[in-house]
Amino acid sequence: MTESRCGWCGTDPLYVAYHDTDWGVPEYDARALWEKLVLDGFQAGLAWITILRKREAFRAAFHGFDPRKVAAYGEADRQRLLNDAGIVRSAAKIDAAIKGARIWCEMQDGGDDFSAWLWSFVGGEPIQNQWGEMKEVPTQTAESVAMAKALKARGFNFCGPVIVYAFMQAVGMVNDHVTPCFRHGEVRDMARP
């Protein structure tokens, strides 16, 4: 008997593994949340599978997405990234990642925890949706609009409400596994009590 999955992951083994192990799992680590936000920004205009295939190259190129290291990047690092064929070589997206690392550091240093701040947009716990089919799942919500506006106000780029909603889905701020999917209940049970 085959398990039912969300249709968006198709049959690509990498995509299926991502769906089965990562997507929708509540993430509370501030560094990991920043990494995912950066990767979702790099996805703008591209398919997520493109970024997923390059994720390890991105991690290597951006020093494991250590915000402190990325915040210290200068022009030589920027050029190194622009010349790295393993990642998406967009100057605007690379600049946004470096700027975002600096904002992340300013927030953390100022006592404003990036994780707690992001999770505050969903009341600190995952929203448990009950979609029966993928066509019911929205591309943005009031929460993603509010988060996108707040991120932009802080100076982050490539964080519109649609990108932010994809981020919220991926990091488990919303459980958008459809109810027939075997992961819906598993992800629901991962929510903090």
Side-chain angles (χ1 to χ4, degrees):
M1 185 173 146
T2 32
E3 296 176 300
S4 179
R5 287 185 175 85
C6 299
W8 59 259
C9 68
T11 59
D12 182 295
L14 184 62
Y15 227 4
V16 170
Y18 174 72
H19 169 275
D20 290 0
T21 59
D22 289 353
W23 195 75
V25 173
E27 179 60 71
Y28 298 95
D29 179 77
R31 189 222 53 85
L33 287 166
W34 179 71
E35 172 184 339
K36 185 64 177 74
L37 188 63
V38 171
L39 290 174
D40 276 329
F42 270 97
Q43 180 198 346
L46 303 169
W48 175 245
I49 191 67
T50 302
I51 302 303
L52 196 55
R53 287 183 180 128
K54 294 176 176 281
R55 185 164 60 172
E56 292 310 315
F58 270 107
R59 286 176 172 161
F62 281 91
H63 291 92
F65 284 101
D66 179 330
R68 302 256 173 226
K69 289 181 180 175
V70 177
Y73 282 3
E75 187 55 32
D77 292 294
R78 184 176 181 275
Q79 285 305 313
R80 173 183 56 80
L81 293 167
L82 285 169
N83 293 326
D84 189 335
I87 67 169
V88 174
R89 295 179 289 182
S90 161
K93 292 174 182 181
I94 289 167
D95 291 344
I98 296 167
K99 181 181 177 189
R102 292 174 182 155
I103 297 165
W104 186 96
C105 291
E106 289 168 11
M107 288 178 70
Q108 297 291 108
D109 294 346
D112 203 358
D113 181 69
F114 191 64
S115 176
W117 181 71
L118 289 174
W119 276 93
S120 73
F121 290 92
V122 293
E125 61 186 52
I127 295 170
Q128 300 295 332
N129 289 318
Q130 299 290 320
W131 313 118
E133 302 176 84
M134 289 305 301
K135 66 181 180 183
E136 298 173 47
V137 181
T139 58
Q140 61 181 302
T141 61
E143 292 85 2
S144 76
V145 170
M147 185 186 291
K149 185 177 178 182
L151 283 162
K152 287 179 181 178
R154 289 202 180 245
F156 288 95
N157 300 105
F158 292 97
C159 56
V162 174
I163 289 173
V164 167
Y165 194 65
F167 163 78
M168 293 171 77
Q169 291 172 312
V171 300
M173 291 179 183
V174 293
N175 181 359
D176 272 354
H177 283 282
V178 292
T179 53
C181 176
F182 81 98
R183 285 293 282 169
H184 183 271
E186 291 178 1
V187 166
R188 179 196 60 227
D189 294 343
M190 292 177 191
R192 284 184 174 170

